[in-house]
């Protein structure tokens, strides 16, 4: 075995152990890791000679807590456990490591536990987060599912947190479209949480990717859910929020995305809905309003990925030239008018008005009435008008 391979194996094993020692987003631990390296940091925390005392920026009581966790770490067992569920442990420096996570600085994950076949780095390059309320409305679930399906159909990876509500709807939308989706968990990747999404998380692991910072069998906590959101924000090109109250973990994800320079988007809802209040506040700031996948991709995609222009139906009178439109507008809604009065109302000559009126007559806009002109009556579509008649 080469020296390089031995060093890499030692680094991977040390980082796997440190995922049991350092909580997600621990910037103090991240600084130690950057300054000392994983192998040396683990040695200082787990050695019996008290070397941990030379670690700076921490109280003795807190350091004792780190050392207690380090004493119980069994990286070989954890690596075997993730391998048993078809997973792996990905570290910074691996070819599969998504380098955009480095934007988190010292809050960068120590490593990521991964289930699923696809390459994490390649999938993350073209990914969008869709997040929102757990207790979402049917409207929110519909919009999340539609966005998930639309993004997947266009070749984008849909990233979310596998929670109830918007997260689950976004994952299902992508899966239903036969597309790619990635779940970021706040627990071990071998743990199905919430339990009601056991089948969904299993489908994601088979068809896509399930990732997390915590080692196998670890359970979620409130703080871990919040800290998980920074990974979702950093991993993706942009974050879409579908329904969120003023106090919402989804808004934490959006604000993290803004700080990292990622696109932040929101789907509007009723002004009277408390579940859309947080989204509307986001949109009043730096968030961009989106209503479908095409508008999302216009923001996060490449140059030329433009959403179609939205406009109402083109009516026949919209195609008239300005002079003909003025003559048509001069006619009253009811009754008729002679050519001279039409010219006066349209601000043109009688000859010009008559010429335009004949053009309008040939197009079906006006009718001749004795010596005057009137608008062609609009037919009424009343299906009951001749019911029972002949």
């Amino acid at each position: 075995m080469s020296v390089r391979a031995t060093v890499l194996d030692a680094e991977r094993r040390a980082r796997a152990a440190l995922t049991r020692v350092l909580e997600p987003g621990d910037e103090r631990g991240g600084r130690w890791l950057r300054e000392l390296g994983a192998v040396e940091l683990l040695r200082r925390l787990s050695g019996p000679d008290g070397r941990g005392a030379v670690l700076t920026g921490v109280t003795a009581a807190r350091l004792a807590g780190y050392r207690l966790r380090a004493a119980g770490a069994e990286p070989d067992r954890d690596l075997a456990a993730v391998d048993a569920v078809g997973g792996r442990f990905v570290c910074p420096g691996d070819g599969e490591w998504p380098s955009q996570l480095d934007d988190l600085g010292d809050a960068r994950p120590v490593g990521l536990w991964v289930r699923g076949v696809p390459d994490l780095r390649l999938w993350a390059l073209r990914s969008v987060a869709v997040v929102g309320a757990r207790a979402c409305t049917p409207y929110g679930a519909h919009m999340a599912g539609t966005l998930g399906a639309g993004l997947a159909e266009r070749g984008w990876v849909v990233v979310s947190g596998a929670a109830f509500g918007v997260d689950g709807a976004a994952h299902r939308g992508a899966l239903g479209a036969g597309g790619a989706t990635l779940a970021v968990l706040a627990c071990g990747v071998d743990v199905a949480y919430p339990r009601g999404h056991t089948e969904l998380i299993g489908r994601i692991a088979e068809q896509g990717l399930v990732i997390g910072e915590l080692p196998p069998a670890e359970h979620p906590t409130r703080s871990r859910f919040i800290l998980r959101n920074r990974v979702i924000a950093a991993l993706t090109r942009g974050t879409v929020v579908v329904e969120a109250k003023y106090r919402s973990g989804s808004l934490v994800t959006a604000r993290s995305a803004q700080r990292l320079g990622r696109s932040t988007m929101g789907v509007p809802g009723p002004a009277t809905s408390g579940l859309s209040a947080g989204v509307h506040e986001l949109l009043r700031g730096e968030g961009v309003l989106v209503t479908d996948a095409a508008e999302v991709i216009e923001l996060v995609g490449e140059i030329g990925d433009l959403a179609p222009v939205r406009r109402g139906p083109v009516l026949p009178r919209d195609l008239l030239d300005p002079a003909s439109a003025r003559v048509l507008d001069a006619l009253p809604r009811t009754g008729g008018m002679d050519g001279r009065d039409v010219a006066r109302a349209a601000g043109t000559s009688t000859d010009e008005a008559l010429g335009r009126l004949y053009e309008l007559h040939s197009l079906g806009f006006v009718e001749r009435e004795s010596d005057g002109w009137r608008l062609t009556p609009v037919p009424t579509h009343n299906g009951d008008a001749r019911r029972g008649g002949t």
Side-chain angles (χ1 to χ4, degrees), residues 331-337 369 373-375:
L331 289 168
R333 298 181 69 85
T334 59
M337 180 183 288
E369 184 181 62
W373 298 84
R374 71 185 181 107
L375 295 173

Side-chain angles (χ1 to χ4, degrees), residues 6 20 62 102 111 119 156 175 193 215 275-276 308 354 362 377:
T6 302
R20 286 208 175 270
R62 184 69 180 127
D102 299 343
D119 186 287
W156 286 78
L175 291 169
Y193 188 89
L275 278 172
S276 289
L354 287 173
S362 67

Side-chain angles (χ1 to χ4, degrees), residues 183-224:
V184 184
L185 304 186
C187 55
V189 294
D190 58 341
V191 177
Y193 188 89
R195 290 192 178 182
H197 275 177
T198 299
E199 182 180 354
L200 175 62
I201 293 171
R203 284 185 63 199
I204 295 171
E206 291 176 3
Q207 189 169 321
L209 287 170
V210 175
I211 71 171
E213 297 178 76
L214 293 159
E218 275 296 291
H219 65 280
T221 64
R222 182 178 179 82
S223 63
R224 287 172 173 178

Side-chain angles (χ1 to χ4, degrees), residues 14-261:
R15 282 183 175 269
L18 288 170
T19 62
R20 286 208 175 270
V21 179
L22 306 177
E23 280 292 309
D26 184 340
E27 294 190 58
R28 180 194 300 112
R31 177 174 60 83
W32 292 338
L33 191 56
R34 172 171 51 82
E35 293 174 349
L36 301 173
V39 175
E40 176 61 18
L41 176 58
L42 182 64
R43 188 173 72 86
R44 293 193 184 193
L45 289 173
S46 57
D49 54 0
R51 287 178 179 268
V54 303
L55 294 170
T56 60
V58 63
T59 64
R62 184 69 180 127
L63 181 58
Y66 282 121
R67 291 176 61 81
L68 184 63
R69 282 189 169 190
E74 297 182 46
D76 294 331
R77 182 192 63 184
D78 288 336
L79 290 168
V82 78
D83 182 68
V85 295
R88 57 197 177 277
F89 183 62
V90 178
C91 301
D94 282 338
E96 194 180 355
W97 179 257
S99 59
Q100 59 267 44
L101 290 178
D102 299 343
D103 293 346
L104 291 169
D106 288 340
R108 179 182 71 172
V110 174
L112 289 172
W113 301 88
V114 180
R115 282 178 65 193
V117 175
D119 186 287
L120 174 59
R121 183 184 68 83
L122 294 179
W123 269 34
L125 289 175
R126 193 176 168 86
S127 65
V128 178
V130 180
V131 297
R134 287 178 172 81
C136 67
T137 66
Y139 163 77
H142 170 77
M143 290 304 300
T146 301
L147 282 171
L151 289 165
E153 287 169 354
R154 290 164 173 81
W156 286 78
V157 177
V158 177
V159 178
S160 200
F164 289 132
V166 166
D167 288 17
H171 288 306
R172 289 189 183 94
L175 291 169
T181 190
L182 184 155
V184 184
L185 304 186
C187 55
V189 294
D190 58 341
V191 177
Y193 188 89
R195 290 192 178 182
H197 275 177
T198 299
E199 182 180 354
L200 175 62
I201 293 171
R203 284 185 63 199
I204 295 171
E206 291 176 3
Q207 189 169 321
L209 287 170
V210 175
I211 71 171
E213 297 178 76
L214 293 159
E218 275 296 291
H219 65 280
T221 64
R222 182 178 179 82
S223 63
R224 287 172 173 178
F225 279 120
I226 297 298
L227 290 163
R228 177 269 310 271
N229 294 338
R230 84 194 193 287
V231 175
I232 295 177
L235 191 67
T236 54
R237 287 200 189 181
T239 295
V240 185
V241 182
V242 184
E243 291 194 328
K245 295 182 179 180
Y246 284 122
R247 288 176 57 84
S248 168
S250 302
L251 294 183
V252 173
T253 308
R255 294 185 187 109
S256 295
Q258 287 177 338
R259 286 193 296 270
L260 293 166

